[in-house]
Amino acid sequence: MSTDYAYDEEGHLWPFFVFTLTSIVTVPITYSLIKSSRNDPAAALKRIQTDYKHDQSAVVDTLRKSEKRKDGSKPWLIALVIAGWAVMGYMIYLIKTTDAPVQHLWNPYDILGIAESATEKQIKKTYKMLSLKFHPDKARPDASKNETIDDLNRRYVEISKAYQALTDEDVRNNFIQFGNPDGKQGFSINIALPKAIVSDGNGKYIVLIYFALFGVLLPYLVGSWWYGTLRRSKEGVLMESANRLFKEYQDNIDEGGVVAALSSGQEFEDLFKGDKADAGLSKIESKVMASDELPPKEKKKLEDVESGPRRKALALLWAYLGRIELGDATLEKAKFQVAPIAHALNKSFNAIALAYMNTAPLLASYFASQRLIQAIPPKASPLYQLPHFNSAVVRSVEGDSRVHTTVQAFMDQPDAKRRSLVVGKGLLTDAQYKETIAYAKQLPYLRVAKAFFKVTGEKFIIPSSLVTLVVKGRFVPPGSEKVPDVTPIDLEDIDPAEDDLDAILGRKKTKKVVGKDEKGKPIYEESAESEDVYPPLASSPYFARDHSPRWHVFLTDSKQGRVAVPPFTFVSFDRPIYESDGKTPTFAMQTMKAQFQAPPQAGHYTFVMHVVCDSYVGFDTKMEVTLVVEDASRAAEMKDEEEISEPEEGEFFLASCHHAPHPHNKKLTTTTTDSIAGIMNAAKGAPTKQRVVKDEEDSDEESGTDDDEDDDTSDTNTDTEPEN
């Protein structure tokens, strides 16, 4: 038995090989290109509609386009994918059009030309006739059929083998067992490559190509990917930069300190290599030091930084935040380049601050993000976010007040009052004023209407249960007119049906509740479920990147200065934010939910809820919320009492869903604590402090313990907008 290796002489196998090899490369690259194009769905949305352009808008637009090309699909990669699909298509065409050689099985009945039901007499008769006809001594080649003597001899041998296979016992057994009268045969392996590739001395080149692909290129690509992942953290910054930011972390750091810490990133060393680190540094520092926007403390930090890439990066960051004109095209470009790098580094600093769970550094990180995107120095007025607003206009609005005016407060003033403050000589023109007002009325300010805690499917929150923080709010742009009132239905969060597992687990959205029937059951809108709704890209005329705004919701303990529930980030919402024109707000009630585990002991736990937008200054919400955790046995008793009392259906539904505080209680006394330390002590079984929770009239007074507990078992109900 032998093995034969045969190359693809007919050309019917190698298209399969080429198609497989090409698909292994083309399909994954195609998937990665499609995935990268969908990473930020908001990237396809329009910006806030405005024609405002500052003096350096051309530089910013150029950097944005350059970064899109860098982060997006590389042209050569797209060309490679197109070529790959073209090759795969051509291979499929060859596979369909090339006839494969037919492999005939050796069959003695076919060779003798008889049926398989033929008798032994018929077999002998047919063999005798064919042997006489094709005997080498009698048969003559047919020139018209290009026959040769060898062809006739092979045919005679096949006839003899066929007869023996049907009459001789041993030959017949070989045919039945091995499919051949001669017994077990060797097998051949077809190589899916044309023979011309490896013949005529081409074999060494094929070996060289295989070595280059699998011995050099593949290990290089795998190694580059592996060591590239090791060099960067999950936030996408260099590990060395993350280590430096870790060293810069302080528990009492503020926004200015965060900016100074971000300048330590190794990415700036790559940006300012060699002589670039000192080129123009003195000019930048002189302009920054002369600016009134930079606090003396930050100027001192800049002076203390050693010369090099970090000092130049910090000086450029302050020049960017202060919108300082540097008078040099190269320096202006560098000024706008450092801000996106610092913003990326801030993500790593945010993760470090979150690991420590301290409130101040975490908020400082979010506030630094706002300032970087809007190009506003720390502690400067939020009014700088508006087009055409400079220091003169801001001073005209704020006067000598030490408290800055927010965009919302400015827009809430009557039009005549606003116009008198900002329109005039050395201030804004009438056209600029109109553009500013139109711009402000498109900013996505999320106004929180209500926040409360609940457990899905339950009326009471018991220890260690899975609690949902429900935040209800509407996007009400500053200066909005004819804002509809909030209705009670808007503030309710109806539990999904018990058999709707997808809705309970959050895999699908519940439809909007539009009312209730006579039995108090919710009535849902008939429209189909909507897709995620994304707000417009952050309006940032000075930031050389496209950024989708994010809202972070988290709970803190104000007494301990610690984060109690880590941030939940929201980039999309469940209701339309603007009408089809992209400018008119819908004022639709949005719902944000965050789940966490309840404390292990019953009591009243008071937290501070933060809703922070990472893209706009002064658009944040800070409010106190109280989590009421009932003892499991007490909750069961209260549930039984409610069932016995049999209230009217409408009152029962409102009491269970609206989560209103008990109207008769003036003072709440609980044998627990509302701080993180108390929660940890409770988890360890240690005694807890007693705390008195009073209504607003007695909010500034505290007293000792009281044996009577509050009868209120409702969840937190914090309303910030009036109901209709």
Side-chain angles (χ1 to χ4, degrees):
M1 185 181 68
S2 61
T3 302
D4 295 330
Y5 294 90
Y7 290 95
D8 190 18
E9 297 287 357
E10 292 83 5
H12 74 284
L13 290 178
W14 71 269
F16 290 93
F17 172 76
V18 175
F19 176 84
T20 303
L21 187 63
T22 307
S23 63
I24 291 174
V25 178
T26 305
V27 173
I29 296 178
T30 304
Y31 173 77
S32 65
L33 291 178
I34 296 175
K35 184 179 179 181
S36 62
S37 65
R38 295 180 178 177
N39 276 343
D40 188 2
L45 300 180
K46 295 181 179 179
R47 298 177 178 274
I48 289 177
Q49 300 177 26
T50 179
D51 295 329
Y52 171 69
K53 297 288 184 181
H54 55 83
D55 294 338
Q56 301 296 331
S57 291
V59 178
V60 175
D61 292 341
T62 301
L63 290 175
R64 281 177 180 166
K65 294 177 181 178
S66 175
E67 190 63 23
K68 283 183 179 179
R69 290 192 297 267
K70 180 181 178 181
D71 293 341
S73 305
K74 298 180 180 178
W76 65 268
L77 199 58
I78 297 177
L80 178 63
V81 169
I82 294 175
W85 284 106
V87 171
M88 292 169 63
Y90 180 64
M91 292 301 107
I92 293 176
Y93 169 76
L94 292 180
I95 291 171
K96 288 187 175 181
T97 57
T98 303
D99 295 330
V102 180
Q103 300 292 335
H104 296 284
L105 295 177
W106 193 85
N107 190 328
Y109 294 100
D110 292 340
I111 295 174
L112 296 177
I114 58 177
E116 295 184 3
S117 60
T119 61
E120 184 176 353
K121 182 177 180 181
Q122 291 174 331
I123 294 173
K124 289 182 179 180
K125 181 180 178 181
T126 302
Y127 168 69
K128 183 176 181 181
M129 182 180 62
L130 292 176
S131 63
L132 291 174
K133 180 179 179 180
F134 294 104
H135 194 280
D137 295 338
K138 297 181 178 180
R140 295 290 181 270
D142 188 351
S144 62
K145 297 180 180 180
N146 294 324
E147 288 183 340
T148 63
I149 294 296
D150 293 335
D151 295 333
L152 296 177
N153 291 337
R154 281 194 297 271
R155 185 177 299 177
Y156 182 77
V157 172
E158 288 294 317
I159 293 172
S160 300
K161 288 183 178 182
Y163 175 71
Q164 292 179 354
L166 297 177
T167 56
D168 187 271
E169 190 67 24
D170 293 335
V171 177
R172 184 179 181 85
N173 290 336
N174 287 336
F175 168 68
I176 294 174
Q177 185 175 0
F178 303 109
N180 193 287
D182 295 330
K184 191 174 183 179
Q185 302 293 304
F187 62 93
S188 62
I189 298 176
N190 291 328
I191 301 176
L193 289 176
K195 188 174 182 179
I197 292 181
V198 294
S199 62
D200 301 328
N202 295 330
K204 56 184 178 181
Y205 300 110
I206 298 299
V207 173
L208 183 62
I209 293 174
Y210 269 85
F211 175 76
L213 289 176
F214 298 103
V216 178
L217 183 60
L218 183 61
Y220 171 77
L221 294 176
V222 174
S224 299
W225 168 80
W226 174 252
Y227 288 107
T229 56
L230 294 180
R231 292 182 65 243
R232 295 187 177 273
S233 66
K234 65 178 182 179
E235 290 79 25
V237 304
L238 296 173
M239 290 300 299
E240 178 61 26
S241 298
N243 293 334
R244 296 177 184 180
L245 291 174
F246 178 80
K247 296 177 182 178
E248 295 287 335
Y249 172 85
Q250 295 178 1
D251 290 340
N252 60 346
I253 196 169
D254 58 7
E255 299 100 298
V258 172
V259 173
L262 299 179
S263 64
S264 65
Q266 187 179 0
E267 284 82 352
F268 293 117
E269 296 179 3
D270 298 334
L271 182 62
F272 304 121
K273 292 182 179 179
D275 297 338
K276 293 182 179 180
D278 296 325
L281 179 58
S282 59
K283 183 177 183 179
I284 301 171
E285 289 184 346
S286 63
K287 290 183 174 291
V288 169
M289 292 298 180
S291 173
D292 296 334
E293 297 293 343
L294 184 62
K297 180 178 67 172
E298 305 305 334
K299 293 181 180 180
K300 181 66 168 57
K301 288 182 181 179
L302 178 58
E303 292 175 346
D304 293 341
V305 176
E306 296 181 0
S307 298
R310 178 175 184 179
R311 183 159 183 164
K312 185 171 184 178
L314 184 56
L316 286 171
L317 280 173
W318 286 121
Y320 167 79
L321 293 172
R323 304 182 184 180
I324 300 173
E325 297 291 338
L326 300 179
D328 182 271
T330 303
L331 296 180
E332 288 289 348
K333 180 180 178 180
K335 179 181 72 175
F336 293 111
Q337 283 179 317
V338 296
I341 297 175
H343 185 265
L345 291 169
N346 189 45
K347 296 179 182 177
S348 180
F349 186 86
N350 182 273
I352 295 171
L354 187 57
Y356 280 97
M357 297 291 283
N358 289 322
T359 304
L362 183 63
L363 288 174
S365 175
Y366 287 135
F367 295 157
S369 172
Q370 298 172 354
R371 304 282 170 169
L372 286 170
I373 291 177
Q374 295 298 330
I376 302 176
K379 313 302 181 184
S381 174
L383 294 177
Y384 283 107
Q385 297 174 104
L386 299 177
H388 308 294
F389 267 55
N390 51 30
S391 57
V393 179
V394 172
R395 281 196 301 269
S396 178
V397 175
E398 297 183 343
D400 297 330
S401 175
R402 295 185 178 182
V403 179
H404 291 304
T405 302
T406 64
V407 176
Q408 303 92 298
F410 172 72
M411 293 297 296
D412 286 342
Q413 300 182 59
D415 183 72
K417 176 66 174 178
R418 293 195 305 254
R419 187 181 294 271
S420 65
L421 289 174
V422 300
V423 176
K425 185 177 181 181
L427 301 176
L428 303 183
T429 64
D430 188 68
Q432 291 174 336
Y433 171 76
K434 291 180 180 179
E435 183 178 10
T436 299
I437 298 302
Y439 176 92
K441 288 185 176 182
Q442 300 178 64
L443 296 178
Y445 169 54
L446 180 63
R447 181 187 295 177
V448 176
K450 181 180 180 181
F452 58 92
F453 300 97
K454 62 175 289 187
V455 174
T456 302
E458 301 292 339
K459 295 181 181 179
F460 307 101
I461 299 175
I462 62 175
S464 301
S465 58
L466 185 61
V467 180
T468 300
L469 170 62
V470 181
V471 180
K472 293 280 188 174
R474 303 185 296 175
F475 282 98
V476 183
S480 296
E481 301 173 353
K482 299 180 180 179
V483 180
D485 294 332
V486 177
T487 63
I489 289 294
D490 289 335
L491 298 179
E492 292 187 8
D493 184 65
I494 308 299
D495 291 334
E498 295 181 358
D499 58 348
D500 194 349
L501 184 60
D502 289 337
I504 294 175
L505 297 178
R507 290 198 289 256
K508 78 173 185 179
K509 295 182 179 179
T510 56
K511 295 182 179 180
K512 180 182 178 182
V513 179
V514 296
K516 295 180 182 179
D517 58 17
E518 62 276 4
K519 296 183 178 180
K521 295 183 179 180
I523 301 175
Y524 298 97
E525 63 181 359
E526 298 181 357
S527 59
E529 296 179 7
S530 59
E531 299 180 352
D532 291 338
V533 178
Y534 292 86
L537 292 177
S539 181
S540 50
Y542 295 88
F543 193 64
R545 293 290 187 278
D546 285 339
H547 179 74
S548 301
R550 291 161 170 79
W551 281 262
H552 306 279
V553 179
F554 57 99
L555 302 179
T556 63
D557 181 352
S558 59
K559 293 183 177 180
Q560 301 292 332
R562 302 276 293 172
V563 176
V565 177
F568 288 80
T569 302
F570 298 88
V571 297
S572 62
F573 298 88
D574 54 351
R575 299 288 177 241
I577 300 174
Y578 296 98
E579 301 289 356
S580 57
D581 61 0
K583 298 175 62 176
T584 306
T586 62
F587 304 114
M589 186 63 68
Q590 310 289 347
T591 302
M592 298 181 289
K593 296 183 179 181
Q595 290 187 329
F596 61 96
Q597 189 174 16
Q601 289 190 354
H604 289 63
Y605 298 85
T606 301
F607 304 103
V608 175
M609 184 188 74
H610 297 267
V611 181
V612 180
C613 178
D614 72 341
S615 303
Y616 297 99
V617 180
F619 280 23
D620 311 320
T621 299
K622 178 181 178 181
M623 57 192 296
E624 187 176 275
V625 293
T626 302
L627 172 62
V628 180
V629 181
E630 297 289 351
D631 184 79
S633 58
R634 177 174 170 79
E637 293 176 0
M638 298 174 68
K639 183 176 181 181
D640 293 339
E641 292 176 359
E642 287 190 355
E643 292 177 352
I644 294 174
S645 63
E646 296 183 356
E648 294 183 5
E649 292 179 347
E651 295 176 356
F652 177 82
F653 185 83
L654 184 60
S656 62
C657 295
H658 191 60
H659 307 287
H662 199 287
H664 303 297
N665 290 323
K666 291 293 184 179
K667 180 171 64 178
L668 309 179
T669 305
T670 61
T671 56
T672 183
T673 179
D674 60 354
S675 66
I676 294 299
I679 296 174
M680 298 305 297
N681 288 335
K684 298 176 182 177
T688 58
K689 297 180 180 180
Q690 295 179 334
R691 182 178 185 272
V692 178
V693 181
K694 303 183 180 181
D695 62 359
E696 294 181 357
E697 295 177 358
D698 301 324
S699 60
D700 296 333
E701 299 177 4
E702 291 186 0
S703 64
T705 61
D706 194 336
D707 294 336
D708 296 330
E709 291 190 359
D710 174 37
D711 292 334
D712 177 25
T713 58
S714 65
D715 302 294
T716 299
N717 177 19
T718 306
D719 296 333
T720 61
E721 286 192 352
E723 295 181 8
N724 189 13

